[in-house]
Amino acid sequence: MPKYVDIAQDIEQWIKDQDLLQGTKLANITTLADQYAVSKNTILKTLQVLEERGVIYQVQGSGIFVRRNKRRGYISLIQNKGFSDDLQMADEASVVITLASVPATKEIALNLQCALESSVYLVERVHSIRGQVFCFEQSYYTKELVPFLSQAIVEESIFDYLEKGLQLQIGFSDKYLKIIPAKDQIAKHLALQPKDPVLFIEEVYYTTNGKPFDFSKNYYHPEYSQFFIQS
Amino acid sequence: MPKYVDIAQDIEQWIKDQDLLQGTKLANITTLADQYAVSKNTILKTLQVLEERGVIYQVQGSGIFVRRNKRRGYISLIQNKGFSDDLQMADEASVVITLASVPATKEIALNLQCALESSVYLVERVHSIRGQVFCFEQSYYTKELVPFLSQAIVEESIFDYLEKGLQLQIGFSDKYLKIIPAKDQIAKHLALQPKDPVLFIEEVYYTTNGKPFDFSKNYYHPEYSQFFIQS
């Protein structure tokens, strides 16, 4: 992990430990550089990471301030950059239900820009937090970019494997949200009644070259899921 | 409007008119600078705007490409920067139901960081698209930063007035999403049955100095609202 990401993680943890309020002024760049014994340039990169993560905001000519209006228990809808949100998600558990190769339907082929009927990976997982299931996930991976997945891999962080194992450069994502009535299978996984409303989020993840590699359909429990977006 | 925003708008419109597909390669920076008779620096700023808006992506050493996976009829959940999304929202209409001064409740005071019971503006609007109501909005504005609102202002774009009229520097926002059952009044505005599920989005908008000026509660119709996030 690059030094500036390490420092960002350290500062974020420190803000949490100290329970600093939104608007609290932090040390300036020179002081932070001295404190961590790194260049100002490294601190500038650190601040960029923290700003992207919604941990701080910078006011020109005035300083660096804590941004901390996140409410507890809300799931971020913005792609995490730099490092995972382990701390917030400490109580999260995922169970793999399915790992299989399936032929691409029209919908999958369109989203993954692969040939109809070509073989893609399907990973189905159920995510829970403090023992409560809040999400049923169906993810499809194109074999052109993800030629191999195993039970061991999908039980850990798939994105970690893609980045570190496959050296995939993860670029951007499109996410689509709407409320839909739960179909029988979905309702069952989420312990809901059929036709109960669920938040349905479709996601397409692209490499930095603009190639889609992951198309996911996520079904969220209406009571146990809430989300935030910092922009 | 700065030149680079003008050019961004022009390029975005051109991509739509030509109906270019995702991944289509655009002209390079030198060609664009010649074409618009501006400096390369201006084009670099233009490209940044287009990238933030999810209209293009840049691949280092390879070029500029069309990013265009937005589905029609989806509402962006990321704050627009630079210029409004008039084109996508051409069929949108808003009706002002309430413009009043009300005392800040605990919830409002907390979100707007103002004194309990202090006077704040309340604006209630109903938004429809192609004649179909899809959103009921309750927005509160702190008078510390928004000392004056009128019927004429709230019938137009409030944010335009804040930026141009009040010279407010709009910085960042926090948004919180969840599904809730509609209360009677909300259900009525959205032509739903009481307790029908609605998507509830709370938003807090801050100036670049980190001061909150707008706290909004938005209730979206489950069938006529869908959202996208590009990140």
Side-chain angles (χ1 to χ4, degrees):
Chain A
M1 201 182 285
K3 191 81 191 159
Y4 68 93
V5 177
D6 259 346
I7 299 174
Q9 214 159 2
D10 193 63
I11 293 175
E12 184 172 359
Q13 186 58 50
W14 181 77
I15 289 170
K16 279 180 190 159
D17 290 346
Q18 301 291 313
D19 212 6
L20 297 186
L21 294 175
Q22 170 123 343
T24 305
K25 192 171 178 173
L26 298 179
N28 63 26
I29 293 167
T30 313
T31 311
L32 288 171
D34 286 352
Q35 200 173 314
Y36 286 101
V38 294
S39 69
K40 282 189 194 177
N41 216 30
T42 301
I43 294 298
L44 286 175
K45 281 194 203 163
T46 294
L47 296 178
Q48 205 186 331
V49 170
L50 289 171
E51 203 161 55
E52 277 174 4
R53 287 178 58 78
V55 173
I56 60 155
Y57 60 95
Q58 301 185 65
V59 181
Q60 219 159 9
S62 178
I64 307 155
F65 300 87
V66 172
R67 183 167 175 204
R68 218 198 161 195
N69 238 22
K70 279 184 201 172
R71 301 180 189 173
R72 280 182 172 277
Y74 282 72
I75 303 160
S76 174
L77 277 177
I78 304 291
Q79 201 176 340
N80 285 324
K81 290 170 187 168
F83 48 90
S84 75
D85 229 331
D86 297 324
L87 296 159
Q88 288 227 311
M89 287 297 175
D91 300 330
E92 195 192 327
S94 301
V95 174
V96 177
I97 292 176
T98 310
L99 168 61
S101 290
V102 298
T105 61
K106 199 176 158 191
E107 180 193 29
I108 297 164
L110 205 69
N111 280 288
L112 288 179
Q113 293 170 23
C114 67
L116 195 67
E117 303 287 328
S118 68
S119 176
V120 296
Y121 277 116
L122 162 64
V123 178
E124 290 185 323
R125 293 190 290 189
V126 161
H127 302 280
S128 56
I129 193 154
R130 285 179 296 275
Q132 176 64 54
V133 172
F134 70 92
C135 177
F136 173 61
E137 173 203 354
Q138 291 177 308
S139 292
Y140 300 91
Y141 298 89
T142 171
K143 290 192 178 173
E144 197 194 321
L145 291 168
V146 186
F148 179 73
L149 283 180
S150 70
Q151 189 73 21
I153 291 165
V154 299
E155 279 173 3
E156 298 292 317
S157 165
I158 297 178
F159 270 46
D160 256 18
Y161 162 72
L162 298 182
E163 280 193 304
K164 290 168 196 161
L166 295 182
Q167 307 277 311
L168 212 65
Q169 306 261 323
I170 297 170
F172 48 89
S173 69
D174 296 326
K175 300 186 186 182
Y176 302 93
L177 282 80
K178 60 183 168 188
I179 297 179
I180 61 167
K183 286 187 185 164
D184 293 8
Q185 184 211 8
I186 311 298
K188 207 172 140 191
H189 284 302
L190 294 174
L192 290 168
Q193 296 301 315
K195 298 199 180 139
D196 273 357
V198 293
L199 191 64
F200 176 49
I201 307 186
E202 287 173 277
E203 304 177 338
V204 184
Y205 286 90
Y206 300 83
T207 63
T208 47
N209 291 332
K211 290 210 177 295
F213 61 91
D214 173 9
F215 169 53
S216 292
K217 297 160 82 154
N218 302 283
Y219 304 84
Y220 287 92
H221 194 291
E223 275 167 61
Y224 304 117
S225 306
Q226 32 194 25
F227 303 87
F228 73 90
I229 301 169
Q230 291 184 307
S231 55
Chain B
M1 200 183 283
K3 192 80 193 158
Y4 68 93
V5 177
D6 260 345
I7 299 174
Q9 215 159 1
D10 193 63
I11 293 175
E12 184 171 359
Q13 186 58 49
W14 181 78
I15 288 170
K16 279 181 189 159
D17 290 344
Q18 302 291 313
D19 213 6
L20 298 186
L21 293 175
Q22 170 124 343
T24 305
K25 193 171 178 174
L26 297 178
N28 65 25
I29 293 167
T30 314
T31 310
L32 288 170
D34 287 351
Q35 199 172 314
Y36 285 100
V38 294
S39 69
K40 281 190 194 176
N41 216 30
T42 300
I43 295 297
L44 286 174
K45 280 194 203 163
T46 294
L47 295 178
Q48 205 185 331
V49 169
L50 289 172
E51 202 162 55
E52 278 175 5
R53 286 177 59 78
V55 174
I56 60 154
Y57 60 95
Q58 301 185 65
V59 181
Q60 219 160 8
S62 180
I64 307 156
F65 299 88
V66 172
R67 183 169 174 201
R68 219 198 158 195
N69 237 25
K70 281 184 199 171
R71 300 180 191 175
R72 281 181 173 277
Y74 282 72
I75 302 160
S76 173
L77 277 177
I78 303 291
Q79 201 176 339
N80 286 324
K81 288 172 190 168
F83 48 89
S84 76
D85 229 331
D86 296 324
L87 296 160
Q88 289 229 309
M89 287 299 174
D91 301 330
E92 197 192 326
S94 301
V95 174
V96 178
I97 291 176
T98 309
L99 168 62
S101 290
V102 298
T105 61
K106 198 175 159 191
E107 181 193 29
I108 297 165
L110 205 70
N111 281 288
L112 288 179
Q113 293 170 24
C114 66
L116 195 66
E117 303 288 328
S118 66
S119 177
V120 296
Y121 277 116
L122 163 63
V123 178
E124 290 186 324
R125 292 190 292 190
V126 161
H127 302 279
S128 55
I129 192 154
R130 287 180 294 277
Q132 177 63 55
V133 172
F134 70 91
C135 177
F136 173 62
E137 173 204 354
Q138 291 176 309
S139 291
Y140 300 91
Y141 298 89
T142 171
K143 289 192 178 173
E144 199 193 321
L145 291 167
V146 185
F148 179 73
L149 283 180
S150 70
Q151 190 73 20
I153 291 165
V154 300
E155 279 174 2
E156 298 291 316
S157 166
I158 298 178
F159 270 46
D160 256 18
Y161 163 72
L162 298 181
E163 281 192 304
K164 289 168 197 160
L166 295 181
Q167 307 277 311
L168 212 67
Q169 306 261 326
I170 297 171
F172 49 89
S173 70
D174 295 326
K175 299 185 186 182
Y176 303 94
L177 281 81
K178 60 182 168 188
I179 296 179
I180 60 168
K183 286 188 185 163
D184 293 8
Q185 185 211 7
I186 311 299
K188 208 172 139 191
H189 284 302
L190 294 174
L192 290 168
Q193 296 301 314
K195 297 196 181 144
D196 272 357
V198 293
L199 192 64
F200 176 50
I201 307 187
E202 287 173 276
E203 304 178 339
V204 184
Y205 286 90
Y206 300 84
T207 63
T208 47
N209 290 333
K211 290 210 178 295
F213 61 91
D214 173 10
F215 169 53
S216 293
K217 297 160 81 155
N218 303 284
Y219 304 84
Y220 287 92
H221 193 292
E223 275 167 60
Y224 304 115
S225 307
Q226 31 193 25
F227 303 87
F228 73 87
I229 301 168
Q230 291 185 307
S231 55

